[in-house]
Amino acid sequence: ISYAEEVSEELLSTEYYLSYDVSNEAILFSNNIDEQIYPASLTKIMTAIVLLDYYNFNDYIVTKYPQNYEHKGKVAYIPENKEISIQNLLEMLLIYSANDAAYISAIAVSENVDEFLLLMNNKAKTYGMNNTNFMNPDGMDHVNHYTTLNDLLKMSIKIIDSNEIISIVSKANFVSDISGNEKVYTTTNLLIKEGYLGIKTGWTDKAGLTFIGLNQNSNREILTIINKSKVDEKKYSHFSDTKLL
C-alpha cells in the first residue's frame, strides 16, 4: 500500500483527492480532504437534490429565469416559457452541465435564487456538510462559495441511493428539442465508457479540473473525488487522476 501511495503521489496532477470504498465504508487514499476548495459544477449535484425534493421525475415545469439573468459559462440557451420535464431539466443540469439549467431549477422551486440557496445550504447541513457554503446554483467561482472533499464525500454517499440521479448520470448522452430543434447532448464525463457511471465533472479557474466518479467494476463500488487537477490542454487530467486512484 505504501508503494501504491508513493506511485500515486508521483503521478497525480493534484494534491487534493479522495478514494472511498462504499461497501466497506473506508477511505482508501486521501489528501487535503478537510481543506477549503471551490466545487465548480459539482455544485449542481446539490441543485439537483433540492429540485427533486420538490418535484418528481415525470413532472413538468415552465422554464423561467431570475430577473436580469445573464448566460455565463457553459449554457444550453434554454428558452423561457417552454414546458420541460424534470427529467430533461436534470439531464441538462447533470449530463450537459448547463448553468442556465441550474437557474431554471432554482426558480422552479423558489421565488428567487436567494431562497433556493437557503434550501441548498440547509440540505448541506442535514448531510453534515459543515464546511460547505453555496452562493449560487451552478458553481461559478465566488469567494464564499466553497466546500471540502470530505463534505463532497458525504453528499456523494447520499446520492448513490438516489435512483433518479444515478439513472441520469449513467447516460452518455440524451436527446432534447427544448431549443426548437432536436439535438443530441453529450456527457462531460469522458470516463463513462470505462465504467465510471458518474457522477459529475467541473472546471473553473479556482477549482481547476474536478470530478466525482463512481466505479462499480470488479464487484466493488469505489467513489473518487478529485479537485484542483492541472488544467491540461485536453482538459483530461482529472480523469487521469481518477483512474490512478
Side-chain angles (χ1 to χ4, degrees):
I1 292 174
S2 60
Y3 173 72
E5 287 175 346
E6 185 178 330
V7 172
S8 296
E9 286 282 1
E10 183 180 334
L11 298 176
L12 289 169
S13 78
T14 179
E15 296 179 353
Y16 293 79
Y17 56 84
L18 188 155
S19 180
Y20 181 79
D21 185 324
V22 177
S23 301
N24 293 304
E25 300 182 355
I27 292 177
L28 305 175
F29 301 102
S30 67
N31 202 51
N32 290 321
I33 64 173
D34 291 312
E35 295 296 315
Q36 187 171 298
I37 57 173
Y38 293 89
S41 283
L42 305 186
T43 301
K44 291 173 178 142
I45 298 172
M46 185 60 78
T47 301
I49 290 169
V50 174
L51 181 66
L52 284 171
D53 279 345
Y54 287 82
Y55 291 96
N56 295 316
F57 221 43
N58 298 319
D59 289 341
Y60 279 78
I61 63 157
V62 174
T63 58
K64 184 180 178 183
Y65 289 107
Q67 193 172 7
N68 301 321
Y69 174 73
E70 294 180 16
H71 289 82
K72 292 181 181 179
K74 185 175 183 180
V75 293
Y77 293 104
I78 302 168
E80 254 195 332
N81 299 315
K82 289 279 189 176
E83 195 173 55
I84 187 174
S85 70
I86 294 300
Q87 177 179 342
N88 193 194
L89 184 57
L90 286 168
E91 289 169 339
M92 289 288 185
L93 183 69
L94 298 177
I95 300 176
Y96 190 66
S97 198
N99 288 353
D100 46 350
Y103 280 90
I104 289 172
S105 299
I107 298 303
V109 170
S110 303
E111 291 187 3
N112 57 64
V113 175
D114 286 343
E115 287 183 11
F116 188 77
L117 293 174
L118 183 61
L119 294 173
M120 289 176 70
N121 285 310
N122 285 342
K123 176 65 74 170
K125 287 182 174 61
T126 67
Y127 287 174
M129 299 169 66
N130 297 321
N131 297 304
T132 293
N133 189 65
F134 296 114
M135 292 295 293
N136 57 62
D138 61 354
M140 294 287 279
D141 285 336
H142 186 289
V143 65
N144 288 321
H145 188 90
Y146 57 82
T147 187
T148 66
L149 293 172
N150 204 13
D151 277 8
L152 290 175
L153 174 63
K154 293 172 183 177
M155 179 176 69
S156 300
I157 290 170
K158 290 287 186 182
I159 67 162
I160 288 175
D161 294 328
S162 169
N163 293 330
E164 293 95 345
I165 291 178
I166 294 301
S167 70
I168 292 287
V169 299
S170 302
K171 296 180 181 180
N173 54 62
F174 66 95
V175 178
S176 177
D177 61 359
I178 191 66
S179 300
N181 299 309
E182 192 171 276
K183 179 180 174 181
V184 177
Y185 295 83
T186 304
T187 182
T188 57
N189 174 14
L190 300 184
L191 295 185
I192 200 155
K193 293 181 179 178
E194 299 183 43
Y196 294 84
L197 54 79
I199 296 173
K200 189 72 192 73
T201 65
W203 170 43
T204 63
D205 290 342
K206 293 185 181 298
L209 292 169
T210 184
F211 180 51
I212 300 177
L214 177 62
N215 190 295
Q216 295 176 317
N217 288 339
S218 305
N219 297 316
R220 302 182 74 191
E221 196 167 31
I222 305 296
L223 263 171
T224 50
I225 307 177
I226 295 281
N227 193 264
K228 291 191 179 181
S229 284
K230 178 183 177 182
V231 182
D232 58 316
E233 185 177 346
K234 295 183 178 179
K235 296 182 178 63
Y236 192 83
S237 64
H238 51 332
F239 299 129
S240 300
D241 290 339
T242 293
K243 291 195 284 186
L244 279 170
L245 280 179

